[in-house]
Amino acid sequence: MLLALAGLAGPAFAQPPKPGRPVQGPALSAPRSLMAGAMASTFVSRAPAGARLAIARPGDPPESAIVAAPLGSASVLALPAPGEVGSFEVRLLAETEGKPVVLLRQTLTTTAPEATLAAPRRVGRSQALPVRGIGPNGDRDRVVLVKPGEPAEAEGPSFYPAENVEDTLEAPAEPGVYELRYVMNAPLSGPRVLARQEITVE
């Protein structure tokens, strides 16, 4: 009986060695549809040293990008989507022999940008004006108070909705009719007014 049990523990019943796990390459995860001008938060794992993220048009060469940024040691990076409606690609890039190479790519479709504003219609001179502005919330978008008819890049009391969609602006000291604007400022589009509201300073 003991000899039989000993036989069970012999080489015929030994477990085969487990094969080593194959080395996995980089992985990329980004939104496939996004409002034009919004921030595209992209998750990357196992990226090689010196890798970059970029947004480009499909078919463009690796060295062509609408916007790009080094990944560094981060696993998440947000890039501003183009301010135009269309089809684009989020790309993970590396360099081989001094030239950029696309390691991974994912399609990105941008939809029409929209914004809303909310604020009192009237305010006293130099008084606090509570404002809410919601839109693509790109990192360069502004909610700004200017005179009607001024260009999209005009300066005035403003805040960045990417940091907070609600803020308090100081009304101008000069009475009159002003315009509260949500101004998107994204790659390809540049400054573009998405929403307007008339404000009377008394």
Side-chain angles (χ1 to χ4, degrees), residues 157-184:
S158 63
F159 68 91
Y160 294 93
E163 298 174 359
N164 196 335
V165 297
E166 294 183 348
D167 208 336
T168 301
L169 303 180
E170 182 179 342
E174 180 184 348
V177 176
Y178 291 81
E179 189 173 78
L180 184 67
R181 296 174 174 175
Y182 186 106
V183 182
M184 177 183 72

Side-chain angles (χ1 to χ4, degrees), residues 61-202:
E63 61 273 13
S64 178
I66 298 166
V67 60
L71 186 61
S73 59
S75 58
V76 182
L77 188 64
L79 293 178
E84 295 181 357
V85 175
S87 296
F88 303 93
E89 281 184 349
V90 179
R91 296 175 172 178
L92 178 65
L93 301 169
E95 281 201 5
T96 301
E97 299 180 352
K99 294 182 179 181
V101 176
V102 179
L103 299 180
L104 294 170
R105 65 185 79 213
Q106 182 179 304
T107 58
L108 171 66
T109 301
T110 53
T111 59
E114 299 177 347
T116 59
L117 293 166
R121 299 282 178 175
R122 295 180 176 272
V123 64
R125 290 175 292 174
S126 301
Q127 296 300 304
L129 178 68
V131 176
R132 177 187 300 161
I134 301 174
N137 295 2
D139 59 354
R140 296 189 297 168
D141 291 6
R142 292 184 306 143
V143 174
V144 60
L145 186 64
V146 296
K147 283 284 192 179
E150 292 191 348
E153 59 270 17
E155 298 292 334
S158 63
F159 68 91
Y160 294 93
E163 298 174 359
N164 196 335
V165 297
E166 294 183 348
D167 208 336
T168 301
L169 303 180
E170 182 179 342
E174 180 184 348
V177 176
Y178 291 81
E179 189 173 78
L180 184 67
R181 296 174 174 175
Y182 186 106
V183 182
M184 177 183 72
N185 190 358
L188 295 184
S189 69
R192 176 183 165 192
V193 180
L194 296 184
R196 310 170 191 262
Q197 179 183 318
E198 184 178 288
I199 303 288
T200 302
V201 177
E202 301 174 323

